[in-house]
Amino acid sequence: MKKRGIYIVCLLAILAIGGCDNKKSEQKEANLKKVADLNMNDTKSKDIYNKALDSYSVWKYEDSVSEVTTTVKSEEASMNMKVTYEVKANDIGTPNMKHLAKTTGNIEGEDVKMEVYYEDGYVYYDSDDQHFKAAIVQDEYTGNYVNNKNAASIKYDFMKKVECEKQDDKYIYEYELDETKYLDYMKALGTDGNKIESMHDIKILEAYGKTVINADYQIESYQITMKLDMNIDGNKGILEITNATSYNNPNKPNRYFSERWPSFR
């Protein structure tokens, strides 16, 4: 498969999922046995999940870490990516928003490291070979941030099998996603409402995950594993993604910005 096509699909899939577990296939089978009985009519578990998701959609603060591992295999080529994303944000969606995103990892044997910082209508970018400051429309940046954050949410209606279990003061959800509903959702993602045409010939082979909600009905972590069968312009391949996302002090202000500014600012 052409690497351009591989990169496009990897990025789209990563944007479309909220988090993934690093479970092996046999562990996945064990999990699916636990959710063998449909539980979609359990009003209490659905209400708790939706309450947490509604709260997440209006978060004003974020401190998260995501670890993403991606493997693409085809007859022509293969690619491996392992990337860690660290995100800190205060006053999300407001004129006072501050946002710092760090990316580190390895893509096809090449180390990747970059930081992007936003404040007061300016984006500061720092990587091994580029350092710059650029003006950006404030509403555009903050609006896109909110939209992208919420687009990653795993909605309850996407689940075809789900089990909710309370452990101490936390609610643990394990689920299998409806491949058709979730794929339609992924296809609808895009900038300014434009559909992602590159995903016209992609099939989800499997998708399952886990979400942890704390006693305050805040999402503490959410995970998903997804396997895709791709056929883009005649190039066929299998894409597997695992991504684990966790939140530190969900929806609590970050002191980080008062303690340390990005070095390149």
Side-chain angles (χ1 to χ4, degrees), residues 46-68:
K46 184 175 182 178
D47 288 347
I48 290 171
Y49 188 92
N50 286 337
K51 181 177 181 179
L53 205 60
D54 288 343
S55 175
Y56 175 77
S57 70
V58 294
W59 274 11
K60 294 301 180 186
Y61 311 99
E62 180 176 350
D63 181 358
S64 66
V65 178
S66 298
E67 295 185 357
V68 179

Side-chain angles (χ1 to χ4, degrees), residues 47-228:
D47 288 347
I48 290 171
Y49 188 92
N50 286 337
K51 181 177 181 179
L53 205 60
D54 288 343
S55 175
Y56 175 77
S57 70
V58 294
W59 274 11
K60 294 301 180 186
Y61 311 99
E62 180 176 350
D63 181 358
S64 66
V65 178
S66 298
E67 295 185 357
V68 179
T69 302
T70 306
T71 301
V72 182
K73 296 180 180 179
S74 71
E75 294 180 357
E76 293 80 15
S78 64
M79 187 186 77
N80 296 293
M81 298 195 316
K82 188 173 183 179
V83 182
T84 298
Y85 303 95
E86 296 181 59
V87 174
K88 296 182 185 296
N90 278 356
D91 300 311
I92 296 171
T94 74
N96 297 321
M97 179 175 169
K98 296 178 182 178
H99 171 226
L100 176 65
K102 291 184 177 182
T103 301
T104 56
N106 187 281
I107 300 177
E108 284 293 89
E110 294 186 17
D111 290 333
V112 175
K113 183 178 180 180
M114 66 179 182
E115 291 188 14
V116 177
Y117 178 72
Y118 169 82
E119 180 186 11
D120 293 334
Y122 287 93
V123 171
Y124 303 82
Y125 179 90
D126 181 48
S127 69
D128 292 336
D129 56 357
Q130 292 189 55
H131 309 270
F132 63 82
K133 170 184 176 182
I136 188 171
V137 177
Q138 188 175 65
D139 290 345
E140 178 181 327
Y141 188 93
T142 58
N144 284 340
Y145 180 91
V146 173
N147 290 338
N148 290 336
K149 177 177 74 69
N150 292 337
S153 303
I154 303 298
K155 296 176 174 55
Y156 201 90
D157 290 341
F158 293 161
M159 304 173 192
K160 65 180 181 181
K161 295 180 180 179
V162 58
E163 180 181 84
C164 175
E165 179 182 1
K166 189 172 183 182
Q167 297 181 5
D168 297 326
D169 61 345
K170 298 179 181 180
Y171 298 91
I172 314 296
Y173 289 79
E174 295 190 56
Y175 43 82
E176 181 181 358
L177 296 178
D178 183 294
E179 292 86 354
T180 300
K181 287 183 179 179
Y182 197 52
L183 183 59
D184 288 344
Y185 173 71
M186 289 172 60
K187 287 181 177 180
L189 291 177
T191 305
D192 296 329
N194 295 324
K195 291 190 175 182
I196 298 176
E197 301 297 339
S198 302
M199 302 189 71
H200 65 281
D201 202 1
I202 294 177
K203 179 181 179 181
I204 297 180
L205 300 178
E206 57 185 11
Y208 59 95
K210 177 179 178 180
T211 296
V212 178
I213 296 172
N214 66 20
D216 296 323
Y217 303 107
Q218 302 292 342
I219 295 177
E220 192 172 277
S221 65
Y222 57 108
Q223 309 168 349
I224 191 172
T225 296
M226 189 161 59
K227 185 176 183 180
L228 301 175

